[in-house]
């Protein structure tokens, strides 16, 4: 029996990965991390989506330590999410170590439940410049986890080379475009569905959707599978 664990935030990308995983694996578990992120609405959205999709196991893990260590606009209410980049070229929403920690903890969880696949919605194409969303990083950590736990493990990144329009196309191909559009929370200001329309995350999501809706057939055809 094939078993996968999805790193699940309740946003557009991880929800699309979850829908795809439910089609491809016999059993799918979701893991959501509570790191005191800007909006606990994220965790509520994740819980609701898991219930709606009939995910058998949804674990919400407390990683408050990350909030304590990593200072970012996503972990501190008094730092506004900015469109400007910091001196190091990264946006102030970058949470250092976030995916290192999340994928490592998910690796431990997968080990415990006997799953050999982890799925994460990280993406290098339209990404915000986060270094821990890069393919090279994921492959390196995948190798480290295999060596560290002496067990085969695959970290799948189905969205790695898709742009946002193609991610919408994938949701549509899975018959769930409206579901993803209405139920997911991507907005940095905590507004569900189409969002506040004014934060960097909403900008990216909206531009992708408009691009997809304007040229559906060609973008659907561009999906490699
Ligand atoms: Zn927003």
């Amino acid at each position: 029996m094939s078993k996968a664990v999805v790193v699940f935030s309740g946003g557009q990308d991880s929800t699309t990965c979850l829908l795809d995983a439910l089609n491809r694996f016999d059993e799918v578990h979701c893991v959501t991390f509570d790191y005191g992120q800007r909006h606990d609405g994220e965790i509520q959205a994740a819980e609701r989506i898991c219930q709606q999709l009939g995910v058998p196991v949804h674990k919400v893990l407390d990683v408050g330590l990350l909030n304590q260590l990593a200072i970012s606009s996503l972990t501190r209410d008094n730092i506004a999410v900015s469109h400007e980049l910091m001196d190091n070229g990264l946006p102030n929403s970058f949470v250092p170590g976030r995916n290192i920690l999340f994928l490592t903890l998910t690796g431990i969880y997968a080990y415990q439940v006997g799953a050999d696949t982890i799925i994460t919605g990280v993406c290098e194409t339209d990404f915000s410049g986060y270094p821990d969303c890069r393919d090279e990083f994921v492959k390196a950590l995948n190798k480290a986890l295999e060596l560290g736990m002496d067990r085969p493990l695959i970290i799948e990144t189905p969205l790695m080379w898709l742009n946002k329009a193609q991610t919408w196309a994938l949701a549509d191909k899975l018959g769930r475009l409206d579901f993803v559009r209405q139920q997911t929370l991507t907005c940095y200001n905590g507004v569900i569905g189409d969002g506040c329309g004014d934060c960097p995350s909403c900008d990216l999501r909206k531009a992708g959707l408009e691009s997809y809706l304007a040229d559906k057939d060609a973008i659907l055809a561009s999906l490699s599978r």
Side-chain angles (χ1 to χ4, degrees), residues 186-191 194-203:
T186 314
C187 171
Y188 289 147
N189 289 313
V191 182
D194 286 339
C196 73
D198 193 36
C199 72
S201 183
C202 281
D203 289 348

Side-chain angles (χ1 to χ4, degrees), residues 179-212:
F179 180 87
V180 174
R181 187 170 175 182
Q182 290 158 9
Q183 303 298 328
T184 62
L185 174 58
T186 314
C187 171
Y188 289 147
N189 289 313
V191 182
I192 208 155
D194 286 339
C196 73
D198 193 36
C199 72
S201 183
C202 281
D203 289 348
L204 195 60
R205 174 173 167 138
K206 182 164 176 254
L209 182 61
E210 284 172 358
S211 157
Y212 174 61

Side-chain angles (χ1 to χ4, degrees), residues 21-35:
L22 288 167
N23 271 357
R24 294 190 295 118
F25 290 85
D26 298 320
E27 187 174 325
V28 177
H29 294 201
C30 285
V31 175
T32 298
F33 294 99
D34 182 352
Y35 60 100

